[in-house]
């Protein structure tokens, strides 16, 4: 009897050792492999998937049993995961439960109009569903992660949620230097600032000029507002026509005083911050200086002289 009990104990120990070896030993699969776990997947469905991909040391049933006894009870994550060659069953489960999914990014540049945001989302073949057109000014420029199989509207919701949070935080810290009365007005003016200068060091000063104009009731005279109704924010690719400068569109700040009907792009955080805390300045005018920046002026006479210098630079370049 004692011999039988001892033999049984040895068999149990041997079986336990075999299971442990199967669980923790390096796998034989070559690699690396990329595994995609769909939203709502369970350990059972993932185990079957891994068996089909030949990533398990045994069957799906064996993997499930070992996972329940020797592994964590945490759920598997949705997403894409890179599995190195020779990964053990134990490590494989840990990657699917606690590993970092493959990161894919979509970048929304500062000043990008919503039509291009929509096009970028539509062009991501790994997403599903229609690409909505976000309201202009509702997306915060940044880089956003996305997972294969996600809906485009879900990725867009992250972008608009980020803008909501950023705008609320910036609005709460606004200074009294600019006559914008709502967050929407702040985004509208910030979108003009974003389009007018590509130099970070100029944002507050450009914002100061436009805030001064709004304060005294002077038209903003911003070229990008003329272009927006024509291209929805895309580059015009030519000079603005006189008929376009004269058109009444709700956006043409050469014809209509005050802010345009809405944003003309998706401004970045820094341009919004510039509008809500503009540089103290008496300047009412600015024009390009030929180096990628602008020269500012307090009076029309000074501005006209600066414009003449800019035209001379353009003539020398053969642009006029």
């Amino acid at each position: 009897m004692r011999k039988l009990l001892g033999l049984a104990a040895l068999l149990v120990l041997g079986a336990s050792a075999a299971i442990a070896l199967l669980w923790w030993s390096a796998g034989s699969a070559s690699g690396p492999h990329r595994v995609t776990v769909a939203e709502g997947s369970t350990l059972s469905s993932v185990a079957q998937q891994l068996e089909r991909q030949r990533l398990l040391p045994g069957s799906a049933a064996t993997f499930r049993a070992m996972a329940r006894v020797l592994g964590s009870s945490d759920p598997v994550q949705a997403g894409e995961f890179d599995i190195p060659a020779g990964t053990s069953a134990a490590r494989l489960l840990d990657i699917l439960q606690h590993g970092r999914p493959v990161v894919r990014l979509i970048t929304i540049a500062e000043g990008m109009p919503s039509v291009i945001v929509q096009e970028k989302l539509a062009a991501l073949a790994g997403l599903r569903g229609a690409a909505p057109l976000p309201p202009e000014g509702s997306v915060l420029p940044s880089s956003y992660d996305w997972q294969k199989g996600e809906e485009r509207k879900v990725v867009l919701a992250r972008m608009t949620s980020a803008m909501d949070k950023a705008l609320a935080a910036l609005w709460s810290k606004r200074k009294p230097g600019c006559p914008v009365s709502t967050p929407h007005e702040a985004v509208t003016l910030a979108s003009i600032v974003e389009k007018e200068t590509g130099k970070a060091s100029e944002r507050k000063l450009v914002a100061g000029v436009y805030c001064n104009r709004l304060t005294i009731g002077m038209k903003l005279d911003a070229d990008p507002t003329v272009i927006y109704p024509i291209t929805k924010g895309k580059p015009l690719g030519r000079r603005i026509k006189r008929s376009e400068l004269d058109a009444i569109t709700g956006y043409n700040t050469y014809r209509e005083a005050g802010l345009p009907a809405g944003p003309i792009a998706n401004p970045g955080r820094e341009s919004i911050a510039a509008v809500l805390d503009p540089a103290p300045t008496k300047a009412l005018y600015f024009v390009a200086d030929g180096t990628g920046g602008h020269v500012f002026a307090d009076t029309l006479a000074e501005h006209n002289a600066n414009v003449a210098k800019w035209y001379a630079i353009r003539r020398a370049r053969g642009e006029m």
Side-chain angles (χ1 to χ4, degrees):
M1 186 67 175
R2 289 178 180 176
K3 289 182 179 181
L4 290 174
L5 290 174
L7 181 59
L10 287 173
L11 290 173
V12 170
L13 288 173
S16 298
I19 292 172
L21 186 65
L22 190 63
W23 182 244
W24 279 292
S25 293
S28 59
S30 60
H33 291 269
R34 180 160 291 182
V35 173
T36 301
V37 179
E39 193 73 41
S41 294
T42 63
L43 178 61
S44 294
S45 63
V46 171
Q48 293 170 3
Q49 176 183 339
L50 295 174
E51 182 178 20
R52 289 193 298 270
Q53 292 182 257
R54 299 182 179 179
L55 296 178
L56 298 179
S59 68
T62 302
F63 178 77
R64 290 198 306 271
M66 291 190 297
R68 286 170 180 147
V69 174
L70 301 172
S72 166
S73 60
D74 294 339
V76 293
Q77 306 175 87
E80 293 180 87
F81 301 88
D82 283 331
I83 310 299
T87 298
S88 68
R91 176 61 182 144
L92 179 54
L93 179 64
D94 185 59
I95 290 172
L96 298 179
Q97 289 176 326
H98 311 116
R100 181 175 174 79
V102 173
V103 176
R104 299 173 184 269
L105 295 176
I106 176 174
T107 298
I108 305 303
E110 294 173 334
M112 183 178 288
S114 286
V115 289
I116 297 184
V117 174
Q118 182 186 38
E119 289 174 1
K120 285 178 73 74
L121 281 169
L124 293 177
L127 296 176
R128 59 189 176 89
L133 176 64
E136 201 69 74
S138 67
V139 168
L140 183 70
S142 186
S143 290
Y144 296 89
D145 65 282
W146 59 275
Q147 298 294 326
K148 189 175 181 180
E150 272 192 298
E151 289 192 76
R152 290 179 173 86
K153 67 180 181 181
V154 172
V155 179
L156 178 59
R158 286 202 287 276
M159 300 176 183
T160 56
S161 176
M163 175 60 93
D164 291 342
K165 291 176 183 177
L167 184 56
L170 291 167
W171 182 256
S172 69
K173 299 176 183 178
R174 67 190 183 279
K175 302 296 175 58
C178 196
V180 289
S181 57
T182 66
H184 184 261
E185 288 185 355
V187 172
T188 298
L189 185 55
S191 70
I192 299 175
V193 172
E194 194 75 77
K195 286 292 190 179
E196 286 285 18
T197 181
K199 294 185 71 173
S201 60
E202 285 188 347
R203 287 190 182 110
K204 281 180 172 287
L205 195 49
V206 170
V209 169
Y210 283 129
C211 291
N212 288 344
R213 289 186 176 191
L214 286 173
T215 298
I216 65 174
M218 181 179 174
K219 294 194 305 297
L220 297 184
D221 288 355
D223 288 357
T225 66
V226 179
I227 296 169
Y228 182 76
I230 305 168
T231 67
K232 295 302 179 185
K234 291 184 176 181
L236 183 59
R238 57 170 172 78
R239 297 184 67 176
I240 299 171
K241 298 176 182 178
R242 168 49 60 185
S243 60
E244 292 162 348
L245 287 170
D246 292 338
I248 296 177
T249 63
Y251 286 88
N252 184 356
T253 57
Y254 278 89
R255 283 297 307 270
E256 300 158 81
L259 292 169
I264 59 171
N266 290 287
R269 190 188 308 266
E270 294 306 315
S271 289
I272 299 172
V275 165
L276 296 176
D277 185 16
T281 180
K282 294 181 180 179
L284 290 171
Y285 307 92
F286 62 92
V287 68
D289 63 6
T291 68
H294 295 84
V295 58
F296 296 80
D298 294 357
T299 69
L300 182 58
E302 292 171 344
H303 177 61
N304 287 337
N306 292 333
V307 170
K309 292 177 184 177
W310 170 231
Y311 283 175
I313 291 171
R314 292 189 65 191
R315 289 190 192 97
R317 292 175 176 174
E319 297 173 356
M320 294 183 68

